Amino acid sequence: MPEEGQYYGKHGEPRKYDPTFKGPLQKRGCTDIVCCILFIIAILCYIGVGILAWSQGDPRKVIYPTDSRGQFCGQAGTPLEKKPLLFYFNIMKCASPMVLLEFQCPTTQMCVEKCPEKFMTLIKAYSNRKDFDYYKSFCKEGVTNSMAVTEILKSGLCPAMLTPSKPFTRRCFPALGKKGGMITVGNSSHFDDGTGKMRDAKDLVDGVKNATVVIEARQVVMKIFEDYTRSWYWILIGLVLATVLSLIFIVLLRFLAGIMVWIMVALVIIVIGYGIFHCYMEYAALKGTPGADVTLQDLGFQTDFTVYLQIRQTWLAFMIILAIVEVIIILLLIFLRKRILIAIALIKEASKAIGHVMCSLLYPLFTFLLLAIVIAYWATTAVFLSTSNEPIYKVFNDTACEHSRKTCDPANYTTTAMKAQCPDSECLFAFYGGETVYHKYLIGLQFYNVFLFFWCANFVTALGQMTLAGAFASYYWAFVKPDDMPSFPIFSSLGRSLRYHTGTLAFGSLILSIIQIIRVLLEYLDHKLKGAHNKCTRFLMCCLKCCFWCLEKCIKFLNRNAYIMVAIYGKNFCTSARDAFFLLMRNMIRVAVLDKVTDFLLFLGKLLIVGLVGVFAFFFFSGRVKAFEDTAPHLHYYWVPILTVVVGSYLIAHGFFSVYAMCVDTLFLCFCEDLERNDGSTVRPYYMSATLREILWKNKAEGPPSSAPLPDEELSGEKHFKEEAASFIERNFDKDT
């Protein structure tokens, strides 16, 4: 028909009948060789960056506090092993704005065994031998009883005063408190600053506050790290539970697909409903509690996230979000109820395919292992790169000095001209940096590390998709199942993918990685320019972020289908992507109504597993259940293991359900190809099962193409005879005859 010719001309030509085609081609050549070579070179360079970072980096800079000499407090195997705490000579100097610019207090810092426990000035301690011996534990080496107080202070060997302090993130901070509405330190609202001048305790607040801001990020990270060390085995148990639940669901879907889908839907609604009820109970329980009515805006950012759970507005927000999700799911189920029945039947057919390729269920574990290696390598390299700087020392001075903030060398600073011109100045450790060529290109190396992380992670994901697609395609195109299938379809497909199509996988993942790195740069620019750009630039930035987000989703969808075509025909990426795109365009209606409905049902399955494991983790780690009070570990932030278990459970469930999703997508594309190649006759029979043909054919929205007449069961009597006769004549006689 002319309409069909025009339709197919616009969306490519349909597949022709090929009697030699028996599924994924075994005889194929290497594709996208240039990109394969480029990927190998990039990996070798990535290994070189890692070796360079490991040789230059020092993770101890993140773990241990650093004194004014750049030495690590409490590091095992060093003279400071028994001095784990950092002591500030004058904490009030930390109130300087330069603290926030240079991330270091302009005062001498040294490692001590314990923090001072009482008020004491050098002048008073000097008159008492016992007090002076105690005082010297907070002084530099070389202080003797024969030295005068003025000489000690002028040389900067001792602090002018000591204040009662407490260790906090391995640093000594004044023990501030409140008494009668006044700020106190060591139960006193005033103290002697060492020069005979009485100061208010509130003068210490700004210094402590600024010093805390400097180390706040490190403090949170260290607490989170400690929580992981105390709860890692329980987190592992939670992830194993998620794995077991995922496997149980997958096995049950194999035999009870219809029942399990509806059970899944019902349980998701129930779990979210319970979440709404729990949030309401927490919201009601906080009514009348002092401080619970504070708004999130007034509260601001808090490093202790448990504070937010004491606010009513937090639980109200959770309740509203869950209610919206619940309503959306229920409405989708109502409007898509007929399509859900068709999608369930399609999942049943996918279950049969997975039943013949059972090892496909274990393949996500291989993908997880590869991704874990990629993530570990990226994280380790990032840490070593960020700690591969050298200690930078700068001149700090209380009075005006032309050399202030200039770099210096503490080893010979006392004999330099800077010290002579500024006798009160000191050469103190400022931060980690460097002026060498290596240090100048550290940002570029970090960028390369992030880019290769995206490329390698996308490559591993693409390898999994192509491997599964090849295995399920071999099932579909086997005329007699499973006799015509390879003995080990997963291993056969994995071998073909790596041997012939490494370049194609690298090409597709490179395109996706470039888009993702652009999105990262846009987020970075948006963060840096926040508050500095006007409404026009903000609107432009939002449009760019939205466009690249949509582009990333489209590329992921196109790559996925391109890998299926590569797995079947062994062509290069561009040709396969074009063929997949045109094939989907020729079957747009089926794609719209079936593919996404199936994805929705599988997403509900993931949601259910995450919900069940997340609820269990919440009650266990939060101590809400008395039976777990003695078993659960004591943590700084109980949300750390809960969030880890939830995210990990979703990734595990996504890995297992992605097998189903890949199976459905592969069967769908193969079905569309089957319709174009064959006509259901004895000479050109369909490879699809009768059930699958009934499922997808009933879903057609328009008449069949010329190369795909109606199935036999939809023809009857004389019409059936005429169709068979016309098909026989077309195959055995040319047009002139």
Side-chain angles (χ1 to χ4, degrees):
M1 296 175 64
E3 297 81 16
E4 290 172 352
Q6 183 181 1
Y7 178 80
Y8 282 126
K10 183 179 179 181
H11 299 294
E13 295 297 327
R15 296 282 180 181
K16 303 297 183 183
Y17 172 68
D18 183 4
T20 63
F21 180 74
K22 302 296 182 183
L25 300 178
Q26 301 300 323
K27 295 182 179 180
R28 54 179 72 194
C30 296
T31 55
D32 298 303
I33 299 175
V34 174
C35 203
C36 178
I37 296 173
L38 180 64
F39 183 64
I40 293 173
I41 294 174
I43 292 295
L44 292 176
C45 293
Y46 195 24
I47 295 173
V49 170
I51 294 173
L52 182 63
W54 299 337
S55 64
Q56 300 291 328
D58 190 354
R60 294 174 300 178
K61 298 173 184 177
V62 179
I63 301 173
Y64 301 104
T66 309
D67 67 5
S68 296
R69 296 180 180 178
Q71 298 173 313
F72 303 119
C73 300
Q75 180 188 348
T78 66
L80 300 178
E81 180 178 1
K82 295 183 179 180
K83 296 182 178 181
L85 304 175
L86 187 68
F87 170 71
Y88 297 89
F89 269 32
N90 188 354
I91 191 68
M92 287 187 292
K93 289 186 178 181
C94 295
S96 168
M98 295 302 297
V99 171
L100 301 180
L101 295 177
E102 300 186 352
F103 295 96
Q104 190 72 9
C105 288
T107 184
T108 303
Q109 301 166 44
M110 62 177 293
C111 302
V112 295
E113 187 175 348
K114 59 181 181 178
C115 297
E117 300 171 347
K118 51 187 176 181
F119 278 116
M120 192 175 291
T121 62
L122 178 60
I123 296 175
K124 291 183 179 179
Y126 189 79
S127 59
N128 187 306
R129 183 179 181 85
K130 184 178 180 181
D131 288 344
F132 190 57
D133 289 339
Y134 172 79
Y135 204 98
K136 284 191 294 184
S137 62
F138 302 98
C139 297
K140 296 180 182 179
E141 296 178 359
V143 178
T144 62
N145 294 344
S146 60
M147 299 177 68
V149 173
T150 54
E151 181 183 357
I152 295 174
L153 291 176
K154 185 177 181 180
S155 302
L157 297 177
C158 290
M161 64 168 182
L162 298 179
T163 57
S165 304
K166 292 182 179 180
F168 183 66
T169 64
R170 298 191 179 187
R171 290 163 176 81
C172 296
F173 288 120
L176 297 174
K178 274 192 176 183
K179 187 176 182 181
M182 298 184 66
I183 296 176
T184 61
V185 55
N187 294 322
S188 176
S189 59
H190 298 83
F191 65 94
D192 188 341
D193 66 357
T195 62
K197 182 180 178 181
M198 297 301 294
R199 305 283 294 268
D200 292 332
K202 64 181 181 180
D203 294 340
L204 294 168
V205 174
D206 289 336
V208 174
K209 182 179 179 181
N210 279 347
T212 304
V213 170
V214 171
I215 63 170
E216 191 168 320
R218 183 180 294 180
Q219 162 213 338
V220 174
V221 170
M222 290 302 299
K223 285 189 175 183
I224 291 175
F225 179 76
E226 290 178 9
D227 287 344
Y228 276 126
T229 59
R230 295 175 185 173
S231 61
W232 66 268
Y233 44 90
W234 293 111
I235 293 174
L236 195 60
I237 292 174
L239 297 180
V240 170
L241 178 62
T243 305
V244 172
L245 281 176
S246 299
L247 282 173
I248 291 174
F249 269 83
I250 292 294
V251 172
L252 290 176
L253 277 176
R254 167 71 179 88
F255 300 102
L256 303 170
I259 297 174
M260 284 304 300
V261 168
W262 288 115
I263 290 176
M264 229 165 25
V265 170
L267 286 178
V268 166
I269 294 175
I270 292 172
V271 169
I272 297 178
Y274 172 77
I276 297 172
F277 171 75
H278 181 81
C279 291
Y280 173 77
M281 295 301 295
E282 293 286 347
Y283 176 77
L286 289 173
K287 185 178 182 180
T289 304
D293 291 327
V294 176
T295 63
L296 294 174
Q297 186 176 2
D298 294 336
L299 185 63
F301 177 76
Q302 302 291 327
T303 55
D304 186 1
F305 293 99
T306 55
V307 173
Y308 295 105
L309 300 181
Q310 309 302 321
I311 306 300
R312 296 188 75 201
Q313 197 177 77
T314 303
W315 293 105
L316 179 63
F318 286 158
M319 184 169 60
I320 293 173
I321 292 171
L322 289 176
I324 292 173
V325 172
E326 183 89 326
V327 171
I328 290 174
I329 291 176
I330 292 175
L331 290 177
L332 285 174
L333 291 172
I334 292 173
F335 287 111
L336 298 175
R337 60 188 183 279
K338 292 183 179 179
R339 297 302 176 190
I340 288 174
L341 295 174
I342 299 174
I344 289 173
L346 190 58
I347 291 176
K348 287 182 181 179
E349 193 64 24
S351 298
K352 294 179 183 178
I354 292 175
H356 290 293
V357 193
M358 285 299 292
C359 56
S360 63
L361 294 177
L362 300 177
Y363 188 84
L365 299 178
F366 178 66
T367 301
F368 287 148
L369 176 62
L370 293 180
L371 284 176
I373 293 173
V374 171
I375 293 172
Y377 186 88
W378 162 77
T380 305
T381 304
V383 170
F384 275 87
L385 281 174
S386 62
T387 58
S388 60
N389 292 313
E390 298 173 346
I392 300 297
Y393 301 88
K394 289 195 173 186
V395 176
F396 290 96
N397 195 65
D398 292 335
T399 59
C401 177
E402 59 178 322
H403 302 294
S404 182
R405 307 298 185 246
K406 290 183 179 180
T407 56
C408 57
D409 184 2
N412 58 358
Y413 181 70
T414 55
T415 61
T416 61
M418 289 188 290
K419 180 67 174 178
Q421 295 177 20
C422 304
D424 296 333
S425 64
E426 293 181 276
C427 183
L428 304 177
F429 168 78
F431 54 85
Y432 287 102
E435 300 296 332
T436 66
V437 176
Y438 170 72
H439 295 112
K440 289 180 179 179
Y441 288 98
L442 268 179
I443 295 179
L445 294 176
Q446 284 283 23
F447 179 82
Y448 186 78
N449 183 35
V450 173
F451 178 72
L452 261 293
F453 165 72
F454 281 125
W455 197 356
C456 293
N458 289 326
F459 180 87
V460 170
T461 304
L463 177 62
Q465 292 175 345
M466 187 179 290
T467 300
L468 292 173
F472 294 129
S474 65
Y475 160 82
Y476 184 94
W477 294 109
F479 194 75
V480 180
K481 303 175 178 58
D483 297 342
D484 293 343
M485 292 175 59
S487 301
F488 302 99
I490 286 289
F491 291 105
S492 299
S493 181
L494 178 61
R496 287 195 303 269
S497 300
L498 289 175
R499 181 180 178 183
Y500 298 109
H501 307 302
T502 299
T504 299
L505 294 170
F507 190 13
S509 54
L510 174 63
I511 296 173
L512 186 58
S513 300
I514 291 173
I515 295 172
Q516 289 173 336
I517 205 71
I518 291 174
R519 289 191 62 201
V520 171
L521 290 175
L522 288 175
E523 291 291 344
Y524 176 77
L525 289 174
D526 189 37
H527 176 73
K528 284 294 183 182
L529 297 175
K530 188 169 291 184
H533 51 195
N534 54 32
K535 294 182 178 179
C536 182
T537 55
R538 192 179 301 120
F539 173 76
L540 181 61
M541 185 65 70
C542 290
C543 289
L544 286 173
K545 289 163 64 176
C546 180
C547 290
F548 276 97
W549 179 84
C550 295
L551 181 60
E552 181 184 351
K553 296 299 179 183
C554 293
I555 292 297
K556 281 184 177 180
F557 178 76
L558 188 61
N559 281 7
R560 183 185 182 90
N561 290 283
Y563 296 144
I564 296 174
M565 302 301 284
V566 173
I568 298 174
Y569 297 106
K571 297 181 180 180
N572 61 40
F573 178 81
C574 294
T575 303
S576 300
R578 182 199 62 195
D579 293 343
F581 177 75
F582 284 146
L583 182 62
L584 293 173
M585 289 299 294
R586 295 196 294 268
N587 296 272
M588 179 56 68
I589 303 301
R590 290 191 178 97
V591 174
V593 297
L594 278 185
D595 196 41
K596 294 310 167 188
V597 174
T598 307
D599 288 344
F600 172 67
L601 291 180
L602 295 178
F603 173 73
L604 291 184
K606 301 174 197 176
L607 212 60
L608 176 60
I609 292 173
V610 171
L612 292 175
V613 177
V615 168
F616 175 78
F618 173 76
F619 283 112
F620 179 81
F621 289 110
S622 65
R624 299 297 178 94
V625 180
K626 293 184 178 180
F628 297 145
E629 283 183 348
D630 298 330
T631 308
H634 298 285
L635 307 171
H636 297 290
Y637 310 123
Y638 68 80
W639 54 264
V640 170
I642 295 175
L643 190 61
T644 305
V645 168
V646 167
V647 174
S649 299
Y650 179 81
L651 294 176
I652 290 172
H654 175 74
F656 284 105
F657 278 91
S658 66
V659 175
Y660 257 91
M662 201 67 206
C663 183
V664 169
D665 289 348
T666 304
L667 293 181
F668 181 77
L669 277 186
C670 291
F671 166 81
C672 296
E673 290 259 328
D674 197 7
L675 282 181
E676 295 183 353
R677 285 181 173 277
N678 305 300
D679 57 10
S681 64
T682 54
V683 179
R684 294 164 57 184
Y686 288 125
Y687 282 80
M688 70 187 79
S689 65
T691 306
L692 184 60
R693 183 172 58 193
E694 181 181 357
I695 295 167
L696 294 179
W697 198 267
K698 285 183 177 179
N699 186 56
K700 66 183 182 300
E702 57 185 34
S706 57
S707 61
L710 290 172
D712 293 345
E713 61 266 30
E714 295 193 17
L715 301 174
S716 59
E718 184 179 355
K719 184 178 181 182
H720 175 75
F721 174 78
K722 289 180 179 179
E723 291 287 343
E724 286 294 327
S727 177
F728 176 79
I729 293 171
E730 183 180 359
R731 290 193 305 270
N732 294 279
F733 300 95
D734 57 29
K735 293 184 178 180
D736 295 337
T737 305

